[in-house]
Short mmCIF file of all heavy atoms in Angstrom, two decimals:
data_model
loop_
_atom_site.label_atom_id
_atom_site.label_comp_id
_atom_site.label_asym_id
_atom_site.label_seq_id
_atom_site.Cartn_x
_atom_site.Cartn_y
_atom_site.Cartn_z
N VAL A 1391 86.68 113.45 51.65
CA VAL A 1391 86.75 112.94 53.02
C VAL A 1391 86.20 113.97 54.00
O VAL A 1391 85.45 113.63 54.93
CB VAL A 1391 88.20 112.54 53.38
CG1 VAL A 1391 88.35 112.26 54.86
CG2 VAL A 1391 88.63 111.33 52.56
N ALA A 1392 86.52 115.24 53.80
CA ALA A 1392 86.03 116.29 54.70
C ALA A 1392 84.50 116.37 54.66
O ALA A 1392 83.86 116.47 55.71
CB ALA A 1392 86.65 117.64 54.32
N GLN A 1393 83.92 116.31 53.48
CA GLN A 1393 82.46 116.34 53.35
C GLN A 1393 81.83 115.12 54.02
O GLN A 1393 80.80 115.23 54.69
CB GLN A 1393 82.03 116.37 51.88
CG GLN A 1393 81.87 117.75 51.33
CD GLN A 1393 81.25 117.70 49.94
OE1 GLN A 1393 81.86 117.18 49.02
NE2 GLN A 1393 80.07 118.23 49.82
N SER A 1394 82.45 113.97 53.83
CA SER A 1394 81.94 112.75 54.44
C SER A 1394 81.99 112.85 55.96
O SER A 1394 81.04 112.45 56.65
CB SER A 1394 82.75 111.54 53.98
OG SER A 1394 82.64 111.39 52.59
N ARG A 1395 83.05 113.40 56.49
CA ARG A 1395 83.17 113.57 57.95
C ARG A 1395 82.11 114.54 58.48
O ARG A 1395 81.53 114.31 59.54
CB ARG A 1395 84.57 114.05 58.33
CG ARG A 1395 85.60 112.96 58.25
CD ARG A 1395 86.94 113.45 58.72
NE ARG A 1395 87.87 112.33 58.72
CZ ARG A 1395 89.17 112.45 58.56
NH1 ARG A 1395 89.72 113.64 58.43
NH2 ARG A 1395 89.94 111.40 58.56
N ARG A 1396 81.87 115.62 57.74
CA ARG A 1396 80.83 116.57 58.16
C ARG A 1396 79.46 115.90 58.19
O ARG A 1396 78.68 116.11 59.12
CB ARG A 1396 80.80 117.79 57.22
CG ARG A 1396 81.85 118.83 57.53
CD ARG A 1396 81.60 120.14 56.79
NE ARG A 1396 81.63 120.02 55.36
CZ ARG A 1396 82.72 120.05 54.60
NH1 ARG A 1396 83.90 120.20 55.17
NH2 ARG A 1396 82.64 119.95 53.30
N ALA A 1397 79.19 115.10 57.19
CA ALA A 1397 77.90 114.40 57.14
C ALA A 1397 77.76 113.42 58.29
O ALA A 1397 76.71 113.35 58.94
CB ALA A 1397 77.74 113.68 55.80
N ILE A 1398 78.81 112.68 58.57
CA ILE A 1398 78.76 111.71 59.67
C ILE A 1398 78.60 112.43 61.00
O ILE A 1398 77.80 112.03 61.85
CB ILE A 1398 80.02 110.81 59.66
CG1 ILE A 1398 79.96 109.87 58.45
CG2 ILE A 1398 80.16 110.03 60.96
CD1 ILE A 1398 81.25 109.14 58.16
N ARG A 1399 79.31 113.53 61.17
CA ARG A 1399 79.19 114.32 62.41
C ARG A 1399 77.76 114.86 62.54
O ARG A 1399 77.17 114.84 63.62
CB ARG A 1399 80.21 115.45 62.42
CG ARG A 1399 80.34 116.16 63.74
CD ARG A 1399 81.52 117.14 63.82
NE ARG A 1399 81.92 117.78 62.58
CZ ARG A 1399 83.01 117.42 61.86
NH1 ARG A 1399 83.79 116.45 62.26
NH2 ARG A 1399 83.31 118.05 60.75
N ALA A 1400 77.20 115.34 61.44
CA ALA A 1400 75.83 115.87 61.46
C ALA A 1400 74.83 114.77 61.81
O ALA A 1400 73.87 115.01 62.56
CB ALA A 1400 75.48 116.50 60.12
N LEU A 1401 75.06 113.57 61.29
CA LEU A 1401 74.17 112.45 61.61
C LEU A 1401 74.28 112.07 63.09
O LEU A 1401 73.26 111.81 63.74
CB LEU A 1401 74.50 111.24 60.72
CG LEU A 1401 74.07 111.39 59.27
CD1 LEU A 1401 74.72 110.30 58.41
CD2 LEU A 1401 72.57 111.35 59.14
N HIS A 1402 75.48 112.06 63.62
CA HIS A 1402 75.67 111.76 65.05
C HIS A 1402 74.99 112.83 65.91
O HIS A 1402 74.32 112.51 66.90
CB HIS A 1402 77.15 111.66 65.41
CG HIS A 1402 77.79 110.38 64.99
ND1 HIS A 1402 77.53 109.18 65.61
CD2 HIS A 1402 78.66 110.11 63.99
CE1 HIS A 1402 78.22 108.22 65.01
NE2 HIS A 1402 78.92 108.76 64.03
N ASP A 1403 75.18 114.10 65.52
CA ASP A 1403 74.55 115.20 66.27
C ASP A 1403 73.03 115.11 66.21
O ASP A 1403 72.35 115.33 67.21
CB ASP A 1403 75.02 116.55 65.73
CG ASP A 1403 76.48 116.84 66.00
OD1 ASP A 1403 77.11 116.11 66.81
OD2 ASP A 1403 77.01 117.79 65.39
N ALA A 1404 72.52 114.75 65.03
CA ALA A 1404 71.07 114.62 64.89
C ALA A 1404 70.55 113.50 65.77
O ALA A 1404 69.51 113.63 66.42
CB ALA A 1404 70.70 114.37 63.42
N ARG A 1405 71.26 112.38 65.79
CA ARG A 1405 70.83 111.26 66.64
C ARG A 1405 70.83 111.67 68.11
O ARG A 1405 69.90 111.33 68.85
CB ARG A 1405 71.75 110.05 66.41
CG ARG A 1405 71.32 108.84 67.17
CD ARG A 1405 70.01 108.31 66.60
NE ARG A 1405 69.41 107.40 67.55
CZ ARG A 1405 68.14 107.37 67.87
NH1 ARG A 1405 67.31 108.17 67.29
NH2 ARG A 1405 67.69 106.52 68.75
N ALA A 1406 71.85 112.40 68.52
CA ALA A 1406 71.89 112.87 69.91
C ALA A 1406 70.73 113.83 70.18
O ALA A 1406 70.10 113.76 71.25
CB ALA A 1406 73.22 113.56 70.20
N SER A 1407 70.43 114.70 69.23
CA SER A 1407 69.31 115.63 69.40
C SER A 1407 67.98 114.90 69.48
O SER A 1407 67.12 115.24 70.29
CB SER A 1407 69.28 116.64 68.25
OG SER A 1407 70.41 117.46 68.29
N ILE A 1408 67.82 113.89 68.64
CA ILE A 1408 66.58 113.11 68.67
C ILE A 1408 66.46 112.40 70.02
O ILE A 1408 65.37 112.25 70.55
CB ILE A 1408 66.51 112.13 67.48
CG1 ILE A 1408 66.27 112.93 66.19
CG2 ILE A 1408 65.43 111.08 67.68
CD1 ILE A 1408 66.39 112.13 64.92
N GLY A 1409 67.60 112.01 70.59
CA GLY A 1409 67.58 111.38 71.90
C GLY A 1409 67.11 112.33 73.01
O GLY A 1409 66.68 111.88 74.07
N GLN A 1410 67.18 113.62 72.76
CA GLN A 1410 66.75 114.62 73.74
C GLN A 1410 65.31 115.10 73.52
O GLN A 1410 64.77 115.87 74.32
CB GLN A 1410 67.68 115.85 73.69
CG GLN A 1410 69.12 115.53 74.00
CD GLN A 1410 69.29 114.99 75.41
OE1 GLN A 1410 68.76 115.52 76.36
NE2 GLN A 1410 70.01 113.89 75.52
#
Side-chain angles (χ1 to χ4, degrees):
V1391 169
Q1393 269 188 295
S1394 298
R1395 285 184 176 152
R1396 279 192 299 276
I1398 290 168
R1399 191 171 30 257
L1401 288 167
H1402 283 288
D1403 292 348
R1405 184 68 196 137
S1407 294
I1408 289 171
Q1410 300 298 313

